Amino acid sequence: MHSASLPDSIADVEALDDWLSRPSEACVEALRSYPGDLVVLGVAGKMGPTLARIAVRASQAAGVTRRVTGGAR
């Protein structure tokens, strides 16, 4: 999951969302070598929005320009 330890406290929902959507270095490296765009299926579910944000943030951290598209039923 995260290489950093858990925070002592989380101030608000935005801070929680920011912490949960931080990609690991392994994720950044994986998306650095992955060619093309991504589709996140189930993006409207419980984990979908966070997963999509992780993909966007990891791509940005990797210096890769790609579209991350969400699909839901």
Side-chain angles (χ1 to χ4, degrees), residues 17-44:
D17 188 50
D18 178 66
W19 188 80
L20 289 173
S21 66
R22 286 185 192 155
S24 66
E25 271 305 310
C27 182
V28 172
E29 288 305 313
L31 289 184
R32 178 174 285 128
S33 63
Y34 182 81
D37 297 332
L38 296 173
V39 175
V40 178
L41 299 176
V43 77

Side-chain angles (χ1 to χ4, degrees), residues 1-68:
M1 184 160 166
H2 296 278
S3 58
S5 60
L6 293 171
D8 291 332
S9 65
I10 297 174
D12 52 27
V13 173
E14 289 80 21
L16 174 64
D17 188 50
D18 178 66
W19 188 80
L20 289 173
S21 66
R22 286 185 192 155
S24 66
E25 271 305 310
C27 182
V28 172
E29 288 305 313
L31 289 184
R32 178 174 285 128
S33 63
Y34 182 81
D37 297 332
L38 296 173
V39 175
V40 178
L41 299 176
V43 77
K46 293 176 188 153
M47 295 172 29
T50 303
L51 180 60
R53 282 186 200 98
I54 290 170
V56 169
R57 292 178 74 177
S59 296
Q60 290 170 340
V64 176
T65 302
R66 72 166 41 96
R67 280 186 303 180
V68 177

